[in-house]
Amino acid sequence: MKGYLWTGGPGSPASEAPPADGRLAPWEAIAVDAVGNVIEFWGFKRNQGRVWALLYLRGEPLTAGEIERELDLSKGGVSMLLRDLERWGVIQRVRLPQDTVWRYGAENDLVRMVTHVIEEREAGFVARIRADLAEARRLAETQSGLPPDRLQRLEKMATLAEHVERALRLFIKTSRLDVSGVLSVFRDEATGARRGSK
Amino acid sequence: MKGYLWTGGPGSPASEAPPADGRLAPWEAIAVDAVGNVIEFWGFKRNQGRVWALLYLRGEPLTAGEIERELDLSKGGVSMLLRDLERWGVIQRVRLPQDTVWRYGAENDLVRMVTHVIEEREAGFVARIRADLAEARRLAETQSGLPPDRLQRLEKMATLAEHVERALRLFIKTSRLDVSGVLSVFRDEATGARRGSK
DNA sequence: GGTGCAGTTCAAGCGGTCTTGAACTATATG
DNA sequence: CATATAGTTCAAGACCGCTTGAACTGCACC
């Protein structure tokens, strides 16, 4: 079959396109870094994005060692990155039959990951802010000689916070909707073409 | 830092008017920090949010020195923070008649600031990503022995990026719309009540 | 059992950002 | 002009999260 059994020695030569040992092809490097930047922009680690991008572009599962070499990361780092990504469900750990090592393949729901984690962050975070503002209001109300316009402003602040929160929720919802179209495009190829030989 | 949970119970000995020299009233500290956290969450400096919140809550313009004392910041830091905020149009520098010092008052368009800066960031950033992916595609196409499914995945990546971008734009637009309602509520009070009541 | 490789964990180091504090400029006042 | 206070600038350092590299576990094969 394909190059699934990589069980060669240390110097096992790459079968086809990618150098497999050293560094990526230039175009891969660019694309991988682009995704890394995006993902960092969204508050994740740059290398989490790079790993996902590499796995996605390659289309077939890679081992931790390969990722380590291709992206020039440390062993420990790769281990942690993979664990994060797996926990979020954006990569999948597979053990091929009669193979001893784990391989990792990209899921296509990077978007789900982003919206999911944003949602999560937002949930805890917004709850906290809301609680704080409520607490502030409670305290402020017990104050006796407080000018009423001050309290008013505090209340407006809380209102504003609520609206921003609502906008954020809306965003998550719409972005998910908007993106689901793209995802469907992804999907038909995703699971199929993985071993969709040429 | 300090000024976090304040478990004192009602009837706390806090004076009615803020100490003016020392630290804020507990409820102010909480509200100010809450805003600081939000603003930090959006990628700004925490203290930028705190300064704006203080100015907004107080309703009347404060001097740099007052801000410095109330929020326990350094002189230089306050200067820089104020400049940032002013540049973004979320605070206003005013010189009262027969007064020699500058005072700073909050504008109400914190939201405009957030959306504005997000927009700005997004513009430069997304353009960059887009260019990178285009470049990657260009390079990849010139490669001869490249499996076609790889190129396909790269293209899908670009498509995804575009969709996310579109979603982001939509978010900014809607959030602005959504919030403009709140802003109008803000406005009627904002400029008027500054030194009203009394 | 022993050797070697895959994978995990974590203290220490590195790099980037934010804040500080002191030197500096500007402006008003006697 | 001397002094004092308001405001700005920036190098040094505090701070914080990410990455590294080494020690460790676990597993397979000899």
Side-chain angles (χ1 to χ4, degrees):
Chain A
M1 313 287 299
K2 309 279 298 219
Y4 277 157
L5 294 201
W6 236 268
T7 62
S12 176
S15 46
E16 17 169 274
D21 77 309
R23 46 185 95 60
L24 316 136
W27 69 274
E28 281 183 312
I30 294 176
V32 158
D33 283 352
V35 173
N37 290 335
V38 170
I39 227 59
E40 185 179 30
F41 181 78
W42 284 104
F44 303 89
K45 296 187 200 168
R46 176 184 161 78
N47 281 330
Q48 287 165 350
R50 298 213 313 145
V51 168
W52 178 85
L54 177 67
L55 294 179
Y56 177 71
L57 281 179
R58 286 295 167 88
E60 54 189 21
L62 301 186
T63 68
E66 285 161 349
I67 296 169
E68 185 187 331
R69 269 170 271 130
E70 297 284 18
L71 299 183
D72 192 30
L73 298 171
S74 68
K75 199 161 127 86
V78 170
S79 173
M80 288 186 296
L81 292 172
L82 287 175
R83 188 141 42 81
D84 294 338
L85 293 174
E86 193 186 2
R87 185 157 31 102
W88 294 331
V90 294
I91 68 172
Q92 218 177 8
R93 178 194 295 235
V94 298
R95 173 109 63 174
L96 301 184
Q98 98 261 34
D99 197 352
T100 162
V101 302
W102 287 109
R103 287 172 185 274
Y104 303 86
E107 285 297 336
N108 317 95
D109 34 13
L110 220 215
V111 173
R112 210 181 61 187
M113 156 178 161
V114 171
T115 55
H116 173 75
V117 181
I118 285 182
E119 228 168 21
E120 202 168 74
R121 269 203 302 229
E122 185 245 9
F125 197 77
V126 166
R128 175 79 204 263
I129 300 300
R130 212 201 268 254
D132 282 353
L133 287 179
E135 170 74 358
R137 187 149 56 183
R138 202 182 59 71
L139 284 179
E141 271 160 1
T142 68
Q143 292 258 342
S144 47
L146 196 69
D149 59 311
R150 272 217 191 157
L151 194 63
Q152 230 176 351
R153 274 193 292 272
L154 182 58
E155 267 155 20
K156 277 179 182 150
M157 202 175 251
T159 310
L160 177 61
E162 264 165 43
H163 278 249
V164 172
E165 177 186 354
R166 176 138 31 107
L168 190 63
R169 272 194 218 291
L170 185 71
F171 167 59
I172 292 174
K173 203 176 293 178
T174 58
S175 90
R176 194 176 265 162
L177 266 183
D178 185 15
V179 152
S180 68
V182 193
L183 278 191
S184 66
V185 180
F186 270 73
R187 256 181 232 299
D188 48 11
E189 183 261 349
T191 41
R194 174 156 301 163
R195 65 202 67 240
S197 60
K198 70 137 314 167
Chain B
M1 264 185 123
K2 49 223 90 186
Y4 234 45
L5 265 223
W6 208 103
T7 51
S12 58
S15 57
E16 38 179 69
D21 77 309
R23 48 182 98 59
L24 315 137
W27 69 273
E28 281 184 312
I30 293 175
V32 158
D33 283 352
V35 173
N37 290 335
V38 170
I39 227 59
E40 184 179 30
F41 182 78
W42 283 106
F44 303 88
K45 297 188 200 167
R46 178 184 159 79
N47 281 330
Q48 288 165 350
R50 298 213 312 145
V51 168
W52 178 86
L54 177 66
L55 293 180
Y56 177 71
L57 281 179
R58 288 294 167 88
E60 54 187 23
L62 303 186
T63 69
E66 284 161 349
I67 296 169
E68 185 185 333
R69 269 169 271 131
E70 298 285 18
L71 299 182
D72 192 30
L73 298 171
S74 69
K75 198 162 129 86
V78 170
S79 173
M80 288 186 297
L81 293 172
L82 287 174
R83 187 139 44 80
D84 294 339
L85 292 174
E86 194 187 0
R87 184 157 32 100
W88 294 330
V90 295
I91 67 173
Q92 218 177 8
R93 177 195 295 236
V94 298
R95 172 111 63 175
L96 300 184
Q98 99 264 18
D99 198 351
T100 163
V101 302
W102 287 108
R103 287 172 183 276
Y104 303 86
E107 284 298 335
N108 318 95
D109 35 13
L110 220 215
V111 172
R112 211 181 58 187
M113 155 176 163
V114 171
T115 56
H116 173 76
V117 181
I118 286 182
E119 229 168 22
E120 202 168 74
R121 270 202 302 230
E122 185 244 8
F125 196 76
V126 165
R128 174 81 204 263
I129 299 302
R130 211 200 267 254
D132 283 353
L133 287 180
E135 170 75 357
R137 188 150 54 181
R138 202 182 58 73
L139 283 180
E141 270 160 2
T142 68
Q143 292 256 344
S144 49
L146 197 68
D149 59 310
R150 268 209 198 168
L151 194 64
Q152 231 177 348
R153 275 192 292 272
L154 181 59
E155 268 155 19
K156 276 179 184 150
M157 204 174 248
T159 310
L160 176 62
E162 265 165 42
H163 278 249
V164 171
E165 177 187 353
R166 177 136 31 105
L168 190 63
R169 273 195 219 291
L170 185 72
F171 166 59
I172 291 174
K173 202 177 294 179
T174 58
S175 91
R176 194 176 265 161
L177 268 182
D178 185 14
V179 152
S180 68
V182 193
L183 279 192
S184 65
V185 180
F186 270 73
R187 255 179 235 300
D188 48 11
E189 183 260 350
T191 42
R194 178 152 298 165
R195 64 188 63 262
S197 78
K198 159 89 179 261

